[in-house]
Amino acid sequence: MEAIDFEEKDFLACCGSTRFAKQMTSSAPFSTYDEAVDAARDIWFNKVDVNGWLEAFAAHPQIGQSPSPHHKSPTSAEWSKGEQSTALATATGYTMEELADWNSRYQQKFGFVFLIFASGRSTPEILAELKKRYQNRPLVEFEIAAGEQMKVTELRLAKLFSTRAEGALATTAQCTADVATTAREDRVNIIGSHLTASSGAPILKPSQISARSRPPITTHVLDVSRGSPGVGIEVRLEMWKCVKTRPTFGETETGNWLLQGSSTTDKDGRSGQLMDIVDALKPGTYRISFNTGKYSPGSFFPYVSIVFEVGESQQWEHFHVPLLLSPFSFTTYRGS
């Protein structure tokens, strides 16, 4: 398929971060939607800094309200209205009042608007999620909001391809204009339903995936005690070398781990490249370790190691392992 070029304003409609839009424009043209999404994920999670994330969040209106005064384009504002259509259709005077109250509480606590992939979700559903996420710690919620922004961006990229590239999202068979339009709308709806799923971004089959633009395993360290990224932390990624066995608790593990790569976290707390960029991640058990003792001498943790297993069906996925550090505890969870 012939590559399609876009302008910076097109990508700004998809995500309100100026840096994101500029980076996407530099990476264009894109031959397929999947290629654009792969580039968008890499740019959003690895190249856009904290200020860029906050800029994108500010471009969104609160759920149930008019477009944000900080929106970046009329297209973005129009898309935002459409994405909230189900919520508005299922709202009552009482639920709208309650939603406004919780939106205000959320913004006072976290400093940014409550961000959720709203397409197809009712007001009671959104309100329940808002109350649940309100209990999170700020840095945890910041990562979750970034993930929700990526879901919105992916859907809007689908809309962008739908409007700018005739037939790009339709089947390759010859069909009439009416059938082609229906096919494009169906494709956008399907993408939206995948993104709404609790598992996060859609899992694509090998035949649908273009070459990765980042390694399949990445990490990001946030220092809760300082309220800033964990800068200058040494990180190692290893793989368990025994194919037929797995590490067990309390077992001596000397010599059974093979180094895949090492790096040091940058100013945003990101590790950089810990392994080669490969389409299919080799199934097996991996260990990612952080030299927290050197980062903070005398801290409670001399180092932190996280062990996880990648199955045969997961080799095409991306594994992002954020680490949240505080003086006497750490938290990790799998990101998108």
Side-chain angles (χ1 to χ4, degrees):
M1 183 181 296
E2 184 179 351
I4 303 164
D5 214 345
F6 296 99
E7 299 178 26
E8 186 176 319
K9 66 178 183 179
D10 297 321
F11 296 119
L12 207 53
C14 296
C15 174
S17 162
T18 304
R19 185 171 182 179
F20 172 86
K22 289 183 181 297
Q23 291 271 350
M24 284 292 287
T25 305
S26 298
S27 299
F30 301 109
S31 297
T32 65
Y33 164 77
D34 290 336
E35 184 181 334
V37 166
D38 198 49
R41 289 176 182 170
D42 177 48
I43 291 168
W44 178 246
F45 289 115
N46 295 322
K47 298 176 183 177
V48 176
D49 59 17
V50 169
N51 290 328
W53 282 10
L54 290 173
E55 182 186 16
F57 297 168
H60 289 275
Q62 290 187 344
I63 301 295
Q65 294 189 0
S66 301
S68 166
H70 304 291
H71 73 77
K72 300 295 181 177
S73 73
T75 302
S76 173
E78 189 63 31
W79 281 347
S80 184
K81 286 174 59 179
E83 289 155 6
Q84 293 192 35
S85 59
T86 300
L88 295 176
T90 56
T92 63
Y94 175 77
T95 56
M96 288 300 290
E97 184 177 338
E98 188 177 15
L99 187 60
D101 176 53
W102 276 94
N103 271 325
S104 178
R105 292 192 204 181
Y106 180 97
Q107 189 144 15
Q108 287 178 7
K109 177 177 179 179
F110 297 109
F112 50 85
V113 67
F114 174 66
L115 190 60
I116 188 171
F117 183 81
S119 292
R121 308 183 80 162
S122 67
T123 292
E125 194 178 350
I126 292 172
L127 189 55
E129 186 67 16
L130 196 166
K131 292 177 180 178
K132 176 183 175 182
R133 283 171 49 187
Y134 180 80
Q135 307 303 320
N136 290 333
R137 288 179 294 173
L139 287 175
V140 173
E141 184 58 23
F142 193 51
E143 286 271 356
I144 292 174
E148 293 298 304
Q149 171 63 61
M150 189 67 249
K151 295 178 187 179
V152 173
T153 301
E154 290 182 30
L155 180 63
R156 291 184 178 184
L157 282 170
K159 294 175 181 178
L160 189 63
F161 269 77
S162 177
T163 56
R164 288 291 304 275
E166 286 297 325
L169 298 181
T171 61
T172 56
Q174 293 296 319
C175 52
T176 64
D178 287 344
V179 174
T181 300
T182 301
R184 288 195 300 275
E185 292 174 350
D186 289 346
R187 176 66 182 270
V188 171
N189 289 335
I190 290 169
I191 291 170
S193 66
H194 277 303
L195 292 173
T196 308
S198 59
S199 59
I203 298 174
L204 304 176
K205 296 180 180 179
S207 60
Q208 295 175 291
I209 299 178
S210 57
R212 296 180 191 261
S213 58
R214 58 177 170 166
I217 298 175
T218 57
T219 189
H220 185 194
V221 183
L222 298 174
D223 188 333
V224 178
S225 63
R226 301 177 184 178
S228 63
V231 180
I233 298 179
E234 296 175 1
V235 184
R236 289 169 57 93
L237 178 66
E238 301 163 289
M239 184 178 183
W240 184 253
K241 73 177 183 180
C242 303
V243 179
K244 296 184 179 180
T245 64
R246 61 192 302 189
T248 57
F249 179 76
E251 180 183 13
T252 302
E253 301 173 350
T254 304
N256 285 329
W257 291 98
L258 297 177
L259 181 66
Q260 303 296 297
S262 61
S263 183
T264 302
T265 56
D266 61 16
K267 63 181 179 65
D268 292 321
R270 302 186 185 278
S271 62
Q273 189 162 321
L274 292 172
M275 65 183 306
D276 292 336
I277 300 177
V278 294
D279 280 350
L281 177 62
K282 185 177 180 180
T285 303
Y286 291 84
R287 178 171 70 181
I288 190 165
S289 301
F290 305 84
N291 191 354
T292 50
K294 185 176 180 180
Y295 168 72
S296 181
S299 66
F300 189 75
F301 298 101
Y303 69 92
V304 172
S305 288
I306 302 161
V307 179
F308 57 98
E309 193 167 39
V310 177
E312 290 283 348
S313 63
Q314 298 174 301
Q315 59 184 314
W316 301 98
E317 295 185 38
H318 174 255
F319 296 86
H320 184 62
V321 188
L323 179 72
L324 306 180
L325 286 173
S326 64
F328 299 102
S329 66
F330 71 89
T331 303
T332 183
Y333 58 95
R334 181 186 163 191
S336 56

